[in-house]
């Protein structure tokens, strides 16, 4: 069989490890051929593809990004999108499509599979770790490592100047990166999208930290919101899945903290650094196992399914179910880490 592979949405360390595992096992064990579609759903929409064989995937395991390119193209919003995808697959004799993506890319795969008879198998990815149905997504561990190292570094400069350092990390709907890196990095305040924050309380924690003669580190997820306000936007622009561009809450917080406490405050926005570069060992391990199980699902004709991590097992779940709701931080877990605030 000829199998198509695409990577959609924001890139994420470990995508290449999935592609490599899919191709290696698919060629070696099953004798499948592969077509790599370029730039997410734009590839099958526009018929743009690359050769994907064993030589093409050599050496890519530790490389960040994706050799296939990515985009946030939504084919359901394109004129004749479904027909154009089906035409491309027929023309290229592609009998199955492995879609590696987050909630948006996989949401499209679920609809194509369930409503339009396009045989898809999903592989979950996102540094935000906010997909339900899987314990972890690859990319998250790498992002947490990068953010933790940044927090460690910011502690020493914050202490030297006795100023507040606000660290803004990614996390649109879920505060997993903020929570894990904030805890691992010994932050004094962690703010997440799931719990609106009280700026007065944040300032009280900041002040109490100074009182103990230490400089506070505030870790904030880009989607976090003040109790009496709205999410801080970069500008009003939307992607084709209707998401606004975030980033700005860190800057807003530093200004408010400075104004209310009289203490000097600075902001570091980690941004896309969290998504770039080489994947951690855990992410390579998880991405590789997802790839191996995804090609097994294709080989068995188990379409409309997504591979997922449950404990240490890789299982299959319906893509539609897996993308139906997000995995957010449990209030109890957030309360648990609150003992370190202030
Ligand atoms: O993949 C999700 C994410 O990491 C979000 O946390 C963030 O809002 C978004 O990507 C930003 O991605 P881009 O700049 O590529 O639109």
């Amino acid at each position: 069989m000829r199998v198509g592979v695409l990577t959609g949405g924001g890139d994420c360390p470990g995508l290449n490890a999935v592609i490599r595992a899919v191709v290696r096992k698919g060629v070696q064990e099953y004798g499948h051929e592969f077509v790599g579609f370029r730039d997410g759903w734009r590839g099958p929409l526009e018929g743009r593809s690359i050769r994907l064989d064993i030589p093409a995937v050599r050496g890519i395991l530790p490389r960040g990004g994706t050799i296939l390119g990515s985009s946030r193209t939504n084919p359901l919003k394109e004129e004749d999108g479904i027909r154009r995808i089906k035409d491309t697959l027929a023309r290229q004799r592609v009998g199955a499509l492995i879609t590696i993506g987050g909630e948006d890319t996989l949401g499209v795969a679920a609809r194509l599979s369930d409503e339009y008879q396009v045989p898809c198998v999903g592989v979950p990815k996102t540094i935000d770790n906010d997909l339900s149905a899987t314990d972890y997504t690859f990319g998250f561990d790498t992002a947490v490592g990068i953010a933790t190292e940044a927090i460690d570094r910011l502690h020493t400069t914050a202490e030297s100047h006795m100023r507040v350092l606000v660290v803004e990390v990614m996390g649109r709907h879920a505060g997993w990166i903020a929570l894990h890196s904030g805890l691992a990095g010994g932050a004094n305040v962690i703010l997440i999208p799931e719990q609106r924050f009280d700026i007065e309380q944040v300032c009280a924690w900041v002040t109490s930290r100074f009182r103990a003669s230490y400089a506070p580190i505030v870790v904030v997820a880009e989607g976090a919101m003040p109790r009496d306000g709205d999410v801080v936007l970069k500008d009003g622009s939307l992607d084709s899945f209707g998401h606004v561009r975030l980033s700005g809450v860190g800057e807003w917080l530093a200004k408010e903290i400075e104004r209310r406490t009289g203490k000097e405050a600075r902001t570091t926005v980690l941004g896309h650094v969290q998504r770039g570069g080489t994947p951690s060992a855990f992410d390579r391990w998880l991405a590789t196992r997802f790839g191996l199980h995804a090609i097994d699902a294709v080989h068995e004709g188990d379409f409309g399914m997504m591979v997922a991590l449950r404990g240490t097992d890789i299982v299959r779940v319906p893509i539609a179910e897996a993308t139906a709701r997000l995995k957010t931080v449990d209030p109890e877990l957030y309360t648990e880490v609150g003992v370190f605030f202030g």
Side-chain angles (χ1 to χ4, degrees):
M1 192 199 302
R2 265 163 83 81
V3 181
V5 183
L6 67 81
T7 52
D11 74 332
C12 164
L15 287 169
N16 285 327
V18 180
I19 299 167
R20 168 182 173 269
V22 161
V23 173
R24 283 284 294 273
K25 186 162 189 185
V27 172
Q28 286 172 210
E29 304 276 317
Y30 301 131
H32 293 320
E33 285 177 14
F34 290 89
V35 175
F37 286 109
R38 293 282 317 167
D39 304 335
W41 289 111
R42 199 186 297 150
L45 265 180
E46 297 176 2
R48 295 199 298 123
S49 60
I50 60 166
R51 179 180 56 92
L52 202 52
D53 51 15
I54 288 184
V57 300
R58 284 222 195 283
I60 66 170
L61 173 64
R63 270 177 57 194
T66 160
I67 60 165
L68 297 177
S70 193
S71 76
R72 295 191 189 273
T73 307
N74 182 353
L76 302 174
K77 289 236 175 100
E78 300 285 326
E79 206 182 323
D80 253 353
I82 308 292
R83 187 193 52 77
R84 283 159 62 196
I85 287 178
K86 284 186 139 188
D87 284 353
T88 301
L89 299 184
R91 205 170 39 248
Q92 304 221 21
R93 292 178 292 107
V94 169
L97 198 52
I98 294 183
T99 54
I100 311 167
E103 49 156 337
D104 297 326
T105 305
L106 293 177
V108 171
R111 290 200 54 195
L112 288 185
S113 231
D114 298 347
E115 296 171 33
Y116 301 100
Q117 294 75 50
V118 177
C120 295
V121 166
V123 177
K125 71 85 226 178
T126 162
I127 64 163
D128 293 354
N129 196 38
D130 58 0
L131 278 177
S132 62
T134 184
D135 289 354
Y136 285 100
T137 47
F138 62 85
F140 172 65
D141 183 66
T142 307
V144 168
I146 292 166
T148 303
E149 195 200 326
I151 296 166
D152 286 348
R153 288 175 185 278
L154 291 169
H155 271 295
T156 62
T157 170
E159 298 287 323
S160 305
H161 293 267
M162 283 312 257
R163 50 164 77 125
V164 186
L165 274 173
V166 177
V167 189
E168 184 186 294
V169 297
M170 281 189 172
R172 175 176 288 275
H173 307 291
W176 293 110
I177 298 177
L179 193 75
H180 282 231
S181 64
L183 188 69
N188 313 108
V189 182
I190 301 173
L191 305 174
I192 60 174
E194 293 87 338
Q195 305 266 333
R196 283 185 177 258
F197 62 85
D198 175 358
I199 187 67
E200 290 290 338
Q201 174 65 75
V202 171
C203 291
W205 282 324
V206 161
T207 308
S208 92
R209 180 73 178 169
F210 275 121
R211 235 183 273 123
S213 298
Y214 290 105
I217 303 281
V218 177
V219 175
V220 59
E222 61 183 355
M225 281 180 277
R227 203 165 57 189
D228 313 307
D230 217 342
V231 69
V232 182
L233 304 177
K234 195 162 194 81
D235 51 42
S237 61
L238 300 178
D239 66 22
S240 73
F241 285 92
H243 301 307
V244 287
R245 280 184 76 198
L246 297 175
S247 184
V249 65
E251 201 54 50
W252 180 87
L253 262 173
K255 283 205 187 96
E256 279 301 306
I257 291 170
E258 218 169 64
R259 190 173 69 80
R260 290 166 185 255
T261 65
K263 299 288 187 185
E264 202 183 9
R266 295 278 195 278
T267 305
T268 299
V269 179
L270 292 182
H272 296 85
V273 168
Q274 294 159 96
R275 284 198 341 215
T278 187
S280 67
F282 177 82
D283 283 339
R284 296 182 205 186
W285 177 88
L286 180 59
T288 298
R289 291 196 69 207
F290 276 168
L292 297 175
H293 284 258
I295 194 62
D296 286 347
V298 166
H299 191 69
E300 291 163 24
D302 200 6
F303 298 119
M305 303 299 276
M306 181 190 94
V307 292
L309 180 71
R310 291 273 168 82
T312 54
D313 294 333
I314 307 292
V315 298
R316 291 179 201 162
V317 290
I319 310 177
E321 199 180 287
T323 53
R325 70 185 173 84
L326 287 174
K327 181 178 65 190
T328 50
V329 175
D330 192 329
E332 276 177 24
L333 180 57
Y334 186 64
T335 306
E336 187 181 302
V337 305
V339 70
F340 295 109
F341 294 179

